[in-house]
Amino acid sequence: MFISIITGISLLFGGTASYAAETSLPGQLLYPIKIHVNESIQSAFTFGAEAEAELQLELIEERIEEKNQLEAE
């Protein structure tokens, strides 16, 4: 029972952090979660060379947009 509660709480907070990390920029607290966790999960659920290439292009575009946002600040 105790393990189930701990697992549920971990999933809740992990999911919340993962969701919040999606809008983070380099240098912010949640950015490592965005690039190491979220993007790894996206890649793990991407099947096929073409889909993986599209994902990588999206991530490159996202890095460029992050750079532009940081320059604007």
Side-chain angles (χ1 to χ4, degrees):
M1 177 73 171
F2 181 71
I3 292 178
S4 297
I5 293 171
I6 296 298
T7 302
I9 291 172
S10 297
L11 289 173
L12 176 65
F13 286 115
T16 302
S18 178
Y19 180 75
E22 279 303 307
T23 59
S24 65
L25 295 172
Q28 294 179 337
L29 181 65
L30 295 176
Y31 192 73
I33 294 172
K34 176 182 180 176
I35 61 170
H36 295 295
V37 177
N38 293 2
E39 292 177 4
S40 294
I41 292 171
Q42 284 179 311
S43 183
F45 287 98
T46 302
F47 302 103
E50 186 176 328
E52 183 65 30
E54 287 178 18
L55 174 62
Q56 293 304 317
L57 284 173
E58 288 174 16
L59 295 176
I60 291 168
E61 290 171 352
E62 193 170 320
R63 296 293 94 79
I64 292 169
E65 180 59 33
E66 291 168 354
K67 176 189 152 298
N68 292 339
Q69 287 180 357
L70 287 173
E71 286 179 345
E73 292 177 359

